[in-house]
Amino acid sequence: MSDTEKFRTEVRAWLDKNCPEEMRDGDITAENQCWGGRLWEFQSEAQKIWFERALSKGYTVPIWPKEYGGAGLSAEEAKILDEERQAINARKPLNNFGISMLGPALLAYGTDEQKAQHLTGIARGEIRWCQGYSEPGAGSDLAALKTKCEDKGDHWLINGQKIWTSNADISDWIFCLVRTDFDAPKHQGITFILFDMATAGISVKPIVLISGHSPFCETFLDNVKVPKSYGDNNASVVGEINRGWDVAKNLLVHERGMLGTMSPLRGTTGPENLGKFAAEKIGLDATGRLDDPALRQNIVQAELDNWAYNLTVERMTDEANAGNGLGAKSSMLKYAASELTKRGTELRMEIEGTTAAIIGEDGIEYGSLANNWLYNRAYSILGGTTEVQFNIISKRVLGLPSQ
Amino acid sequence: MLLILNEEQEMLQDAARGFLAEKAPVAAFRKIRDSKPADGFCRELWLEMAQMGWAGIIVEEEHGGSGFGYVGAGVLAEQMGRNLTASPFFSTSVLGATAIQQFGTEKQKEENLAAISSGESLFALAVDEGPRHNPGRITFSAEPSGNGFTLSGAKTFVADGHVADRLIIAARTSGEEGDTHGITLFLVDADAPEIVRERTPMVDSRNAANIVVDGLEVTGDAILGELDGGYGALEGILSAGRAVLSAEMSGSAQQVFGVTTDYLKEREQFGQKIGSFQGLQHRAAHLATEIEMMKSAVLKSLKDLDADFDNAGMTCSLAKAKTGQVAQLATKEAIQMHGGIGVTDEYDVGLYFKRVHVAQQMFGDAGFHSDRWARNSGF
Ligand SMILES: Cc1cc2nc3c(=O)[nH]c(=O)nc-3n(C[C@H](O)[C@H](O)[C@H](O)COP(=O)(O)OP(=O)(O)OC[C@H]3O[C@@H](n4cnc5c(N)ncnc54)[C@H](O)[C@@H]3O)c2cc1C
Ligand SMILES: Cc1cc2nc3c(=O)[nH]c(=O)nc-3n(C[C@H](O)[C@H](O)[C@H](O)COP(=O)(O)OP(=O)(O)OC[C@H]3O[C@@H](n4cnc5c(N)ncnc54)[C@H](O)[C@@H]3O)c2cc1C
């Protein structure tokens, strides 16, 4: 038996023994994920057990080095772990912005002390992070941000406003972009800084979305004093002062990679099961075809595109592991994933017809199809709009000229 | 299974890239189109390809082939698609070799596989009888007579039909039009006097023929695979054909897209490179993403054929559907983004547009394969 086959056998046995039955529901949505953090309460005993067992194996962050709480797996081993996890429809034991965004950026840019503190906290599910990038005047044009950060000797003084900060109200720490030089060209005066959301001067206000719900906040930063250092060589700033744009971009590539490989397409709202679902709801005609030819065609097309997309995630991941990473191609996955995600719930709404448009007396229920359908409109906006992904693909992948 | 090429396959790709660019580039195809040779391709070049192991690319080594499997065949087809290389590769090395290697008797293998691999013998597969692909609807008849059969009927759009030495004909030995049971494959010599072959020039300038057979007597030895149970074999051959055609279309689409982005980088209008206009950039970015999806679908179908031939049918179908759509979009956009020059005969993109149209019609267009997928999935 080769080493990889041996690893697969071991992983399969481990998952079989350790993943509770309740965590094998395959329906992986934002609502039933384990997010961790100081305010986190497990939704069930099974979720807690699953998290703790995975943690003890380093499987909350399988490819991170063991010293930071990972399992130190190779890319190939991680793929096997993921395949075997998906084969039994198991949820991820822990899922948050720290794992998918900040972690990789810290691995690339952090000092040993920063890594030791923050990566370990993420791996152990102790600290939940939020992303302080966007501002009212700096969305797609992120580098236009104006939140001001002044050097006050032993601390930084921060003033400004962030917007769209997902889950700011329930997060422990923030990774934030601030301006440390207003005179430099806009990309060269930005600094990447980390601070505790419990620091005095921070207030958050929820933003209600068209779905009626609000995991998002406006974040106001009013004379926030951030210590320069959280211990020896553990600065609040990651990378160099005024050179935070490099860190920010690195993180965005990971964010888009994560968004582009996310699983909303695989759950029950995804296109994969739409045909069967529609056949049950609508019925078949005498020749065995779905009794709504136009809808049938749209479903087939979505399933076909979804299939090709999933293969592309697999191929690009294999290519990235064999070469130099995903790079700007993550924008292709991000774009494709957001369009498919939207189409999935749009079609589901069509299949269910008016039934799906009925909401309860208390409004749109969180986690309902209507809620997901409305929320999914945001996929092609958050993490950079589709148009911005197109700009990136044109310039970074295709090398087309600028105006 | 990793969804990338291994080292050997990459070397094959490099070799094919270099060889075709030198010996069979688009200019060579253009010459064939304009000089209209009877064969429709260059025999010497085909023998040279055979010497490099291309004609027997999927044929196992014990039968004189190079044993590269379908991923290998796809690697070659993609490069041929990039260069619009004219050759009997598809009809002979993919369809013919698949039919014999997968479904032939030991004797049939011995008689044919080495001859395919050496480039000596050309094959063609005769399936369709109407303008649109429909392998279930076969009326071509094979009546029992003596200790054999009498074949009669007509076939359309047989790739390389007029130059093939041997024909594989899907005929009906029992049942009604539309039944999948009752279809049998026959392997016959193409130059029998009862066979009339008429070349039908196509818009892509490739070889195709109508074939009329009138009372051809064959023995039971001519059967390839099972009597009455040939449909399964036919599906297998078609799957291989669909996957490799998809690889060819993928090559054409990638090539045309590369030419287009180059043009966007150099052509100036309104005092700027046209590639700086967002109206074109966003369409190019969309197309680039679709091309990545297409490449994954193609590679998956080829890998599935190599890993589990009998169960690869649905992935080959999906690959053909996706590739048909994307390759058509790529060639249409190529013409549009080139402006006026794109619709001139002198410029190459039109050749790709025509070839992709025909290739995507062949063995089922996107609509055919979408329908097949939906039925297979129970809706
Ligand atoms: C649900 C949700 C969650 C989010 N979570 C976070 C978070 O946690 N942290 C965070 O920092 N941010 C977050 N965001 C913010 C998100 O990154 C921004 O909304 C996004 O980058 C778009 O910016 P904007 O909303 O200001 O739109 P704008 O930039 O004003 O864009 C308006 C329109 O103009 C188009 N446009 C803009 N510039 C160009 C251009 N150059 N070319 C072509 N078209 C262009 C856009 O594509 C869009 O269609 C979130 C957003 C949403 C909706
Ligand atoms: C069949 C035919 C007949 C014709 N007949 C005549 C005739 O009788 N008389 C005559 O004078 N001309 C004629 N023309 C020329 C025709 O008007 C031009 O071909 C047309 O204006 C496009 O110019 P172009 O070919 O130089 O393409 P380009 O201008 O080079 O365009 C190339 C691509 O860039 C795009 N593009 C260019 N500028 C922009 C922009 N600012 N924003 C976004 N995209 C842009 C175009 O849409 C196109 O996709 C004819 C052309 C053809 C093909």
Side-chain angles (χ1 to χ4, degrees):
Chain A
M1 209 190 295
S2 73
D3 283 355
T4 53
E5 283 168 51
K6 202 163 142 245
F7 181 76
R8 191 182 289 278
T9 315
E10 282 167 18
V11 159
R12 196 175 290 165
W14 185 87
L15 284 168
D16 192 51
K17 183 155 171 272
N18 291 288
C19 181
E21 207 52 52
E22 298 96 303
M23 294 293 104
R24 304 183 192 190
D25 54 3
D27 193 10
I28 304 151
T29 59
E31 298 90 61
N32 61 23
Q33 289 283 344
C34 171
W35 292 88
R38 296 195 287 241
L39 296 171
W40 179 252
E41 281 173 26
F42 289 102
Q43 295 157 320
S44 68
E45 190 56 24
Q47 193 180 50
K48 181 161 183 264
I49 291 172
W50 177 219
F51 167 76
E52 281 168 357
R53 288 180 182 163
L55 179 64
S56 71
K57 260 311 245 193
Y59 284 174
T60 58
V61 284
I63 58 166
W64 290 10
K66 287 193 173 146
E67 54 180 317
Y68 304 133
L73 299 191
S74 69
E76 194 178 2
E77 288 167 335
K79 184 177 178 183
I80 291 171
L81 173 61
D82 222 41
E83 282 168 0
E84 292 300 320
R85 182 179 63 75
Q86 286 182 21
I88 61 164
N89 264 330
R91 298 185 196 173
K92 279 188 180 162
L94 179 68
N95 185 33
N96 60 46
F97 285 11
I99 295 177
S100 50
M101 300 192 219
L102 179 61
L106 277 181
L107 281 167
Y109 289 93
T111 62
D112 289 345
E113 289 74 9
Q114 285 173 328
K115 290 183 202 170
Q117 177 183 348
H118 300 303
L119 293 179
T120 309
I122 293 167
R124 302 190 58 79
E126 289 163 358
I127 299 294
R128 182 167 181 176
W129 289 85
C130 61
Q131 179 184 34
Y133 272 32
S134 304
E135 296 181 8
S140 298
D141 188 10
L142 181 59
L145 60 94
K146 292 201 171 62
T147 291
K148 185 174 180 183
C149 177
E150 295 165 274
D151 187 343
K152 294 286 178 188
D154 67 332
H155 68 272
W156 300 103
L157 186 70
I158 302 181
N159 277 289
Q161 187 198 335
K162 293 288 168 181
I163 193 170
W164 296 118
T165 332
S166 299
N167 303 304
D169 50 345
I170 47 173
S171 292
D172 309 308
W173 278 61
I174 187 167
F175 50 92
C176 197
L177 295 180
V178 292
R179 186 159 298 283
T180 32
D181 186 346
F182 277 82
D183 299 324
K186 71 178 182 181
H187 294 96
Q188 285 163 35
I190 294 171
T191 296
F192 189 101
I193 190 166
L194 312 174
F195 51 90
D196 194 323
M197 287 296 277
T199 317
I202 303 177
S203 55
V204 295
K205 199 174 124 201
I207 307 169
V208 180
L209 301 182
I210 53 175
S211 61
H213 293 274
S214 178
F216 311 95
C217 300
E218 288 180 278
T219 304
F220 301 93
L221 305 166
D222 188 10
N223 285 323
V224 179
K225 287 184 186 174
V226 174
K228 282 207 166 157
S229 188
Y230 296 102
D232 279 350
N233 205 15
N234 183 4
S236 49
V237 166
V238 179
E240 288 171 47
I241 315 286
N242 291 331
R243 302 303 298 266
W245 188 246
D246 296 339
V247 187
K249 270 197 313 190
N250 175 287
L251 187 141
L252 282 175
V253 167
H254 289 289
E255 176 176 7
R256 284 160 192 167
M258 179 269 298
L259 289 168
T261 54
M262 244 174 19
S263 54
L265 297 158
R266 297 205 173 100
T268 48
T269 52
E272 269 173 13
N273 300 310
L274 284 176
K276 275 191 203 107
F277 180 67
E280 279 163 29
K281 289 268 166 187
I282 296 169
L284 305 173
D285 69 12
T287 66
R289 292 185 168 106
L290 187 69
D291 212 356
D292 184 334
L295 181 58
R296 178 176 189 260
Q297 184 49 40
N298 289 338
I299 293 173
V300 182
Q301 190 65 51
E303 291 200 351
L304 174 58
D305 289 342
N306 190 47
W307 173 79
Y309 159 80
N310 280 331
L311 290 173
T312 305
V313 171
E314 187 183 342
R315 180 172 62 84
M316 286 190 175
T317 309
D318 289 343
E319 277 173 6
N321 291 335
N324 309 320
L326 194 53
K329 282 191 172 177
S330 67
S331 286
M332 293 180 159
L333 295 181
K334 157 67 168 81
Y335 151 61
S338 32
E339 295 307 321
L340 281 168
T341 304
K342 289 191 293 183
R343 263 162 78 193
T345 39
E346 281 162 16
L347 285 167
R348 196 52 208 272
M349 288 295 284
E350 269 188 61
I351 294 165
E352 297 204 27
T354 45
T355 320
I358 299 171
I359 61 170
E361 291 290 340
D362 301 329
I364 301 167
E365 197 188 329
Y366 188 54
S368 66
L369 173 60
N371 172 71
N372 289 340
W373 162 68
L374 290 166
Y375 177 71
N376 285 356
R377 301 316 303 171
Y379 272 110
S380 46
I381 298 168
L382 58 83
T385 65
T386 288
E387 290 72 26
V388 166
Q389 307 309 326
F390 279 169
N391 289 349
I392 293 168
I393 298 166
S394 310
K395 298 204 173 79
R396 307 265 169 274
V397 182
L398 304 177
L400 294 179
S402 303
Q403 250 177 348
Chain B
M1 174 165 87
L2 290 181
L3 215 49
I4 46 180
L5 297 183
N6 66 26
E7 214 172 300
E8 241 190 344
Q9 291 155 349
E10 275 183 1
M11 277 162 62
L12 179 69
Q13 187 176 48
D14 288 344
R17 192 182 284 129
F19 178 85
L20 293 172
E22 192 199 323
K23 304 257 176 143
V26 187
F29 172 66
R30 197 179 269 288
K31 222 162 146 190
I32 288 172
R33 181 194 73 161
D34 296 340
S35 63
K36 300 193 177 76
D39 284 339
F41 64 92
C42 171
R43 293 250 176 198
E44 281 157 37
L45 185 72
W46 176 238
L47 289 176
E48 235 183 291
M49 290 185 194
Q51 267 165 23
M52 292 189 299
W54 294 10
I57 194 81
I58 64 159
V59 175
E60 284 147 12
E61 284 166 57
E62 55 174 303
H63 287 113
S66 49
F68 262 97
Y70 290 98
V71 173
V75 161
L76 295 181
E78 183 179 317
Q79 295 304 319
M80 293 182 190
R82 281 183 176 273
N83 291 285
L84 293 176
T85 304
S87 85
F89 176 75
F90 180 67
S91 54
T92 299
S93 308
V94 178
L95 302 177
T98 298
I100 304 227
Q101 180 152 280
Q102 296 288 336
F103 307 103
T105 59
E106 269 319 306
K107 185 157 172 272
Q108 285 168 331
K109 287 185 192 175
E110 246 148 59
E111 281 171 4
N112 295 289
L113 290 177
I116 287 176
S117 305
S118 66
E120 233 168 85
S121 187
L122 301 184
F123 278 62
L125 174 71
V127 190
D128 286 318
E129 299 173 11
R132 291 182 57 81
H133 179 61
N134 196 339
R137 192 180 272 174
I138 283 170
T139 61
F140 192 105
S141 82
E143 297 279 338
S145 77
N147 64 347
F149 297 85
T150 305
L151 308 188
S152 295
K155 295 285 183 184
T156 58
F157 191 37
V158 181
D160 290 327
H162 73 295
V163 279
D165 302 299
R166 313 211 76 193
L167 296 175
I168 298 161
I169 300 180
R172 185 163 290 290
T173 33
S174 68
E176 305 282 315
E177 178 179 351
D179 291 350
T180 50
H181 185 79
I183 291 170
T184 305
L185 300 183
F186 290 92
L187 177 61
V188 303
D189 281 333
D191 47 17
E194 295 85 355
I195 301 179
V196 177
R197 300 186 277 167
E198 177 206 6
R199 190 175 181 183
T200 47
M202 307 293 296
V203 69
D204 65 343
S205 311
R206 288 307 170 95
N207 283 340
N210 284 338
I211 293 182
V212 177
V213 181
D214 189 10
L216 175 69
E217 306 278 343
V218 298
T219 68
D221 284 353
I223 293 178
L224 181 64
E226 287 169 41
L227 176 66
D228 285 342
Y231 191 73
L234 183 59
E235 292 235 291
I237 303 165
L238 290 172
S239 292
R242 286 162 182 159
V244 176
L245 261 180
S246 299
E248 189 211 298
M249 285 192 284
S250 168
S252 295
Q254 290 177 59
Q255 181 66 23
V256 122
F257 183 60
V259 166
T260 306
T261 45
D262 287 349
Y263 192 71
L264 296 181
K265 287 174 199 173
E266 75 196 27
R267 171 73 172 167
E268 286 189 20
Q269 289 287 277
F270 301 98
Q272 296 179 46
K273 307 282 187 211
I274 57 172
S276 69
F277 297 126
Q278 208 171 53
L280 300 183
Q281 284 186 347
H282 284 196
R283 275 157 51 198
H286 165 73
L287 182 52
T289 309
E290 287 291 313
I291 284 174
E292 293 299 327
M293 307 287 156
M294 169 186 74
K295 281 160 63 182
S296 319
V298 172
L299 188 55
K300 173 71 174 168
S301 66
L302 297 165
K303 292 223 165 200
D304 277 4
L305 282 171
D306 282 333
D308 184 4
F309 184 88
D310 295 333
N311 292 308
M314 227 16 82
T315 26
C316 294
S317 215
L318 286 168
K320 184 74 172 35
K322 185 72 194 167
T323 311
Q325 293 173 339
V326 177
Q328 280 192 308
L329 179 67
T331 49
K332 286 185 208 171
E333 285 286 60
I335 291 182
Q336 181 61 24
M337 291 191 194
H338 275 86
I341 192 179
V343 287
T344 61
D345 181 65
E346 189 192 342
Y347 205 71
D348 288 340
V349 294
L351 298 175
Y352 289 87
F353 178 70
K354 294 185 232 183
R355 173 60 191 154
V356 162
H357 172 78
V358 175
Q360 79 92 36
Q361 288 282 318
M362 203 168 182
F363 295 175
D365 60 11
F368 175 92
H369 289 292
S370 300
D371 180 63
R372 187 163 184 263
W373 155 256
R375 277 178 176 281
N376 197 269
S377 319
F379 68 105

